[in-house]
Amino acid sequence: QQQVKQSPQSLIVQKGGIPIINCAYENTAFDYFPWYQQFPGKGPALLIAIRPDVSEKKEGRFTISFNKSAKQFSLHIMDSQPGDSATYFCAASPRQGAQKLVFGQGTRLTINP
Amino acid sequence: NAGVMQNPRHLVRRRGQEARLRCSPMKGHSHVYWYRQLPEEGLKFMVYLQKENIIDESGMPKERFSAEFPKEGPSILRIQQVVRGDSAAYFCASSPRGGIAEAFFGQGTRLTVV
């Protein structure tokens, strides 16, 4: 019940396309859902986060969609660029101030020029 | 303002040796978190520390692993008698207050046990 399941494991998209990464969770106590971006050899960096009281959040080219009843959330990257090529992780915690996150398995995204 | 500094970046140890991983938090941050990332997997929480205190070690293996965050100096994650299964990337994050949402991650230490 503590798991967050992420798919797909890898994704290849042409430049300008809209990659979509999906995550699902079981624990209804989860209340904070961030996405992290990780480049090779680097630590994860917070990209965007959402609370379940909204169904969508946009920051620049990145959008999170949230479906509370289905316990699913997804990341969309608009007008994707080769520089977006990285590994993306979804995560969840019981609240924004929690001390630990449960991470998904990660999606390795490649944007071809 | 330097980010979270972890060293060494790469560490090779033979089975049975000890590994010491260091994490210097960002200036002004007194909360440190350690996560482990196995190959092709997401990060898994290990331990959460404040200065001189272990707050939550629910993700730490019961044996061979320990962590500290002394009043002065970096946080240390110590692995005794390493085994091949300990090979992973170990990430440290720090935050000014007790919330992972505000934390910044370091670049990680990649431990290889041979």
Side-chain angles (χ1 to χ4, degrees):
Chain A
Q1 201 181 27
Q2 278 295 102
Q3 283 186 324
V4 175
K5 294 185 179 179
Q6 183 173 345
S7 63
Q9 274 191 311
S10 62
L11 183 58
I12 300 174
V13 172
Q14 289 297 120
K15 177 184 172 183
I18 305 175
I20 301 173
I21 304 171
N22 301 298
C23 286
Y25 64 98
E26 290 292 326
N27 189 346
T28 53
F30 285 151
D31 191 47
Y32 172 70
F33 302 90
W35 284 88
Y36 285 82
Q37 181 187 55
Q38 184 180 27
F39 292 105
K42 304 290 185 183
L46 179 64
L47 191 61
I48 184 173
I50 197 168
R51 298 282 309 278
D53 51 348
V54 296
S55 60
E56 186 176 279
K57 183 174 181 179
K58 289 184 182 181
E59 283 187 9
R61 296 184 293 109
F62 299 92
T63 299
I64 300 180
S65 298
F66 190 88
N67 186 330
K68 188 174 181 178
S69 60
K71 289 183 283 187
Q72 294 175 348
F73 58 110
S74 59
L75 177 70
H76 298 60
I77 305 175
M78 311 301 287
D79 187 27
S80 58
Q81 302 296 315
D84 296 329
S85 297
T87 300
Y88 292 80
F89 293 95
C90 62
S93 74
R95 65 185 191 285
Q96 193 165 351
Q99 286 107 30
K100 54 189 173 185
L101 291 163
V102 178
F103 280 84
Q105 300 92 324
T107 296
R108 186 173 295 180
L109 174 65
T110 302
I111 307 297
N112 285 330
Chain B
N1 187 7
V4 178
M5 303 300 292
Q6 289 189 249
N7 65 83
R9 293 291 309 279
H10 300 275
L11 182 61
V12 179
R13 284 286 177 266
R14 295 186 185 280
R15 281 180 296 170
Q17 290 185 320
E18 178 179 287
R20 280 183 180 242
L21 288 60
R22 295 175 191 78
C23 169
S24 296
M26 289 179 69
K27 187 177 180 180
H29 288 194
S30 59
H31 300 256
V32 165
Y33 317 80
W34 285 93
Y35 281 75
R36 176 165 64 175
Q37 184 178 29
L38 294 169
E40 306 301 322
E41 291 189 16
L43 285 77
K44 299 241 180 336
F45 170 81
M46 299 183 76
V47 63
Y48 162 49
L49 311 102
Q50 292 180 38
K51 286 280 188 182
E52 300 184 279
N53 287 303
I54 297 174
I55 307 302
D56 183 346
E57 56 181 348
S58 58
M60 289 278 270
K62 296 273 186 275
E63 298 176 349
R64 302 187 297 107
F65 285 72
S66 63
E68 63 176 10
F69 188 15
K71 186 176 179 181
E72 301 291 337
S75 175
I76 306 285
L77 180 67
R78 182 183 178 204
I79 311 172
Q80 295 178 292
Q81 299 175 318
V82 295
V83 301
R84 289 231 169 96
D86 297 332
S87 295
Y90 292 83
F91 289 95
C92 163
S94 74
S95 68
R97 291 172 288 274
I100 190 67
E102 299 177 321
F104 292 86
F105 282 83
Q107 294 186 315
T109 293
R110 277 146 187 87
L111 172 66
T112 302
V113 179
V114 297

